[in-house]
């Protein structure tokens, strides 16, 4: 964490930020968050992230006591205070203090500035392994703070040399624990349409594609027979997936379409954030 954060309506030393022990964010694990990167002191895709954060607050019935313009001002000042040329901003809205310890109350807003470490270069060059897990993330369309299963299960996938999990249910895949999922088959991109978070990186990767894209239910069988696969997220951008469980995907190496999309995204990022 960087030295300064926004909490209790003001900028304070990050070490001084506190949450009441009875907040629903703690006792029920109920809250929302979002995370975006800064590049050359500029927040990348900020409007998209604010759209999602504000929508998540509305859908979870947690009062958000700041307007879009106020949130943008807070982000700008937080970047300046922490000299955050390249890093991440984490927005967290807790479930609040509740009279019955269950219904959402007035949420407490935090914004933190953070260091950001990308996956090792080797993972982009050789690809990663995912471990299948039968699960659908609760209220998947909202970026809640409930990652209990993934946190608990993470030691299992690490023991098996996997980068993350691939959720599936009733024969259909949805997403990774913190990333969106895609396959390439016969020079077409397919990405799941159900039980997913609408990722901002996903949105922009789809815009960059110059081959047909299909957003639809995707079976696990199709996935294992894919020519290529990859995941996208704010903190990974695009990571090729070359193995799922013990099954190699395609040639077992990052595919040309995945690598081309990664290059296109980096070019877009440079264009949007050049000084």
């Amino acid at each position: 964490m960087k030295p300064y954060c926004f909490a209790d309506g003001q900028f304070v030393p990050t070490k001084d930020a506190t949450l009441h022990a009875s907040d629903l964010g703690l006792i029920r694990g109920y809250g929302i968050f979002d995370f975006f990167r800064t590049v050359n002191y500029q927040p990348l895709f900020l409007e998209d992230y604010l759209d999602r954060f504000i929508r998540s607050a509305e859908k979870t019935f947690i009062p958000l006591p700041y307007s879009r313009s106020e949130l943008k001002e807070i982000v700008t000042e937080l970047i300046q205070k922490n000299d955050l040329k390249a890093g991440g901003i984490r927005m967290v809205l807790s479930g609040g203090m509740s009279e019955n310890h269950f219904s959402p109350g007035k949420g407490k807003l935090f914004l933190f500035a953070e260091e950001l470490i990308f996956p090792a270069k080797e993972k982009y060059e050789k690809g990663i392994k995912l471990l299948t897990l039968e699960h659908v993330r609760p209220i998947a369309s909202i970026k809640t703070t409930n990652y209990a299963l993934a946190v608990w299960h993470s030691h299992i996938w690490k023991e098996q040399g996997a980068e993350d999990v691939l959720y599936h249910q009733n024969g259909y895949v949805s997403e990774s624990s913190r990333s969106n999922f895609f396959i390439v088959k016969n020079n077409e991109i397919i990405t799941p349409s159900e039980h997913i978070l609408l990722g901002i990186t996903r949105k922009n990767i789809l815009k960059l594609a110059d081959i047909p894209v299909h957003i639809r239910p995707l079976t696990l069988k199709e996935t294992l027979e894919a020519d290529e696969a990859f995941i996208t997220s704010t903190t990974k951008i695009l990571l090729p997936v070359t193995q799922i469980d013990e099954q190699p995907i395609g040639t077992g190496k990052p595919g040309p379409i995945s690598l081309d999309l990664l290059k296109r995204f980096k070019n877009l990022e440079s264009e949007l954030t050049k000084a």
Side-chain angles (χ1 to χ4, degrees):
M1 291 287 188
K2 292 293 188 176
Y4 298 102
C5 74
F6 182 84
D8 294 314
Q10 58 187 328
F11 294 94
V12 299
T14 302
K15 62 182 178 62
D16 294 339
T18 61
L19 183 69
H20 195 283
S22 292
D23 192 290
L24 289 185
L26 180 62
I27 66 171
R28 302 293 184 188
Y30 194 75
I32 63 167
F33 81 104
D34 226 309
F35 185 89
F36 54 88
R37 291 192 293 128
T38 62
V39 181
N40 291 334
Y41 298 104
Q42 299 180 53
L44 192 63
F45 308 124
L46 178 59
E47 297 296 343
D48 287 334
Y49 285 101
L50 289 179
D51 282 345
R52 189 168 68 182
F53 190 68
I54 292 168
R55 184 169 62 247
S56 292
E58 292 173 349
K59 288 184 175 181
T60 51
F61 312 107
I62 305 175
L64 176 59
Y66 296 90
S67 67
R68 172 186 288 267
S69 61
E70 288 171 332
L71 290 173
K72 292 171 72 172
E73 290 175 3
I74 294 168
V75 167
T76 299
E77 189 168 349
L78 189 63
I79 291 171
Q80 294 171 349
K81 283 185 175 294
N82 289 288
D83 191 31
L84 196 67
K85 181 178 182 180
I89 300 290
R90 185 179 303 273
M91 302 185 294
V92 182
L93 184 63
S94 74
M97 300 291 289
S98 171
E99 291 184 1
N100 63 2
H101 305 295
F102 200 80
S103 302
K106 182 180 179 181
K108 184 170 181 177
L109 178 69
F110 299 88
L111 277 84
F112 299 102
E114 304 179 12
E115 298 280 358
L116 183 59
I117 300 175
F118 285 106
K121 183 180 179 182
E122 180 183 33
K123 293 180 179 180
Y124 292 94
E125 294 174 341
K126 295 184 178 181
I128 61 166
K129 173 183 177 180
L130 296 180
L131 196 66
T132 57
L133 179 63
E134 191 165 359
H135 177 65
V136 168
R137 197 166 48 82
I139 43 179
S141 63
I142 301 172
K143 199 169 179 69
T144 72
T145 56
N146 181 4
Y147 282 69
L149 179 72
V151 172
W152 170 77
H153 196 267
S154 62
H155 77 284
I156 297 174
W157 76 61
K158 290 175 183 176
E159 285 179 350
Q160 298 191 30
E163 178 74 14
D164 211 321
V165 291
L166 177 61
Y167 293 145
H168 66 96
Q169 190 172 71
N170 299 324
Y172 290 89
V173 302
S174 53
E175 57 186 3
S176 184
S177 74
R178 293 156 292 172
S179 308
N180 289 116
F181 181 75
F182 303 73
I183 69 165
V184 178
K185 185 68 176 179
N186 298 328
N187 209 42
E188 296 184 343
I189 296 170
I190 307 168
T191 190
S193 57
E194 306 298 322
H195 305 300
I196 65 164
L197 181 74
L198 297 178
I200 307 305
T201 305
R202 171 185 181 269
K203 174 182 177 179
N204 285 279
I205 286 289
L206 291 174
K207 288 181 179 179
L208 293 171
D210 63 352
I211 60 175
V213 172
H214 304 282
I215 303 172
R216 62 164 175 80
L218 174 64
T219 68
L220 182 56
K221 182 177 185 295
E222 287 179 283
T223 297
L224 297 176
E225 296 172 351
D227 299 327
E228 301 178 36
F230 59 90
I231 57 174
T232 63
S233 75
T234 301
T235 56
K236 299 178 180 71
I237 303 180
L238 183 154
L239 268 180
V241 175
T242 51
Q243 184 178 341
I244 296 176
D245 294 333
E246 301 309 312
Q247 171 73 41
I249 300 301
T251 63
K253 298 179 181 180
I257 293 173
S258 303
L259 295 177
D260 179 63
L261 283 170
L262 175 60
K263 181 180 179 180
R264 287 168 181 259
F265 188 92
K266 289 184 175 179
N267 289 339
L268 172 64
E269 179 182 309
S270 296
E271 183 66 26
L272 293 174
T273 58
K274 64 183 178 182

